[in-house]
Amino acid sequence: AESQSEKKEDEKKEDEKRLEKFMGKKERRRSSLNKPLQGDYMGAKTNNKILSIIGKHEEKEVLFADSVIKINRKCKRQERILLLTEKALYNIDPVSIKSKRRIGLLDISCVKMSGLQDNFFVICVPTEYDYLFVSSKKIEICLQLRRQYQFVHHGQVLPIEFKNTLEYKVDSGSFRDIKFTSEEEGVSTQIFEKKKS
């Protein structure tokens, strides 16, 4: 029988292979190419408040947890904890350690990101509204989310869209475009309001 350490090593190799393929569509900074994938970057697995939040939904596994930036409806940056469990994605306030929103993995339709060297990504939730996040660990978040999505969807793969102009839903009646442009100093990002009925 395969030992626990051999199983973890196999999973690590599988992650590395997926990471290479994933990066085939997204430019990467040199500093992020060989980052090890940890999953829990803030001790969420032993945080009683966080375990209590996910326990209310009969969830036990913390697959990913880290501080991210959420771009809110007013285009303001807010620090949040992004937490992935076996069934859902959580937006948690890092000060109060209270859940601001829980999104079931079955409710996510896709992830969007540009093909450039930026840290933005969109989680699309058609039945509600989308999330625009900023994280240097966006690739790991997508890998973990994709793996768990495939499990809960019985083999269906989570679509990941790469475009340098991304549309996302702010609320039931309004959408925004976020446009990425490659420049000498890095990547320029602009957000445009779009109204849809």
Side-chain angles (χ1 to χ4, degrees):
E2 192 177 34
S3 73
Q4 195 69 22
S5 61
E6 285 173 329
K7 190 178 177 185
K8 282 188 177 178
E9 192 59 36
D10 287 345
E11 282 181 2
K12 189 180 176 185
K13 284 178 185 173
E14 189 184 322
D15 276 337
E16 284 167 0
K17 284 180 187 174
R18 285 185 185 176
L19 195 57
E20 286 171 21
K21 289 179 186 175
F22 203 91
M23 290 176 352
K25 293 198 177 183
K26 178 141 182 94
E27 290 179 23
R28 305 289 288 137
R29 295 183 177 98
R30 283 181 188 270
S31 62
S32 65
L33 289 176
N34 297 313
K35 277 185 182 174
L37 308 181
Q38 282 179 227
D40 182 3
Y41 290 87
M42 50 195 322
K45 291 175 183 176
T46 55
N47 184 307
N48 289 332
K49 285 188 176 181
I50 287 176
L51 294 177
S52 174
I53 289 168
I54 68 174
K56 289 174 185 173
H57 300 279
E58 298 181 358
E59 294 162 26
K60 295 176 183 176
E61 292 182 64
V62 173
L63 304 175
F64 181 87
D66 194 28
S67 292
V68 298
I69 299 296
K70 176 195 152 208
I71 309 297
N72 72 12
R73 293 176 192 189
K74 296 178 181 177
C75 289
K76 300 287 185 189
R77 291 173 172 247
Q78 297 176 312
E79 190 177 339
R80 290 286 183 259
I81 295 168
L82 186 66
L83 181 82
L84 174 65
T85 71
E86 68 270 32
K87 295 181 188 175
L89 197 63
Y90 289 82
N91 165 20
I92 295 174
D93 186 297
V95 178
S96 64
I97 313 294
K98 288 185 178 175
S99 176
K100 306 291 281 183
R101 185 181 180 195
R102 177 186 181 274
I103 305 167
L105 297 186
L106 295 170
D107 296 322
I108 296 171
S109 65
C110 71
V111 176
K112 297 178 181 179
M113 59 175 66
S114 83
L116 303 178
Q117 292 181 0
D118 63 274
N119 289 327
F120 289 82
F121 65 101
V122 177
I123 303 285
C124 300
V125 189
T127 55
E128 298 176 33
Y129 57 92
D130 303 337
Y131 264 149
L132 177 59
F133 286 117
V134 186
S135 171
S136 61
K137 299 182 183 76
K138 66 208 163 292
I139 300 295
E140 180 175 355
I141 293 165
C142 287
L143 284 170
Q144 296 277 20
L145 182 58
R146 206 171 196 209
R147 177 189 288 157
Q148 197 56 27
Y149 179 97
Q150 194 166 3
F151 179 76
V152 299
H153 277 270
H154 309 291
Q156 188 178 331
V157 178
L158 176 67
I160 299 177
E161 296 178 16
F162 294 89
K163 291 181 183 174
N164 291 347
T165 299
L166 305 175
E167 182 183 79
Y168 68 102
K169 186 178 178 182
V170 183
D171 56 39
S172 59
S174 61
F175 290 72
R176 287 189 184 130
D177 275 348
I178 179 165
K179 185 178 180 181
F180 302 90
T181 310
S182 186
E183 297 181 350
E184 260 185 51
E185 304 81 26
V187 179
S188 162
T189 307
Q190 293 175 294
I191 297 177
F192 302 95
E193 197 77 32
K194 291 173 77 175
K195 293 289 180 187
K196 290 191 179 180
S197 53

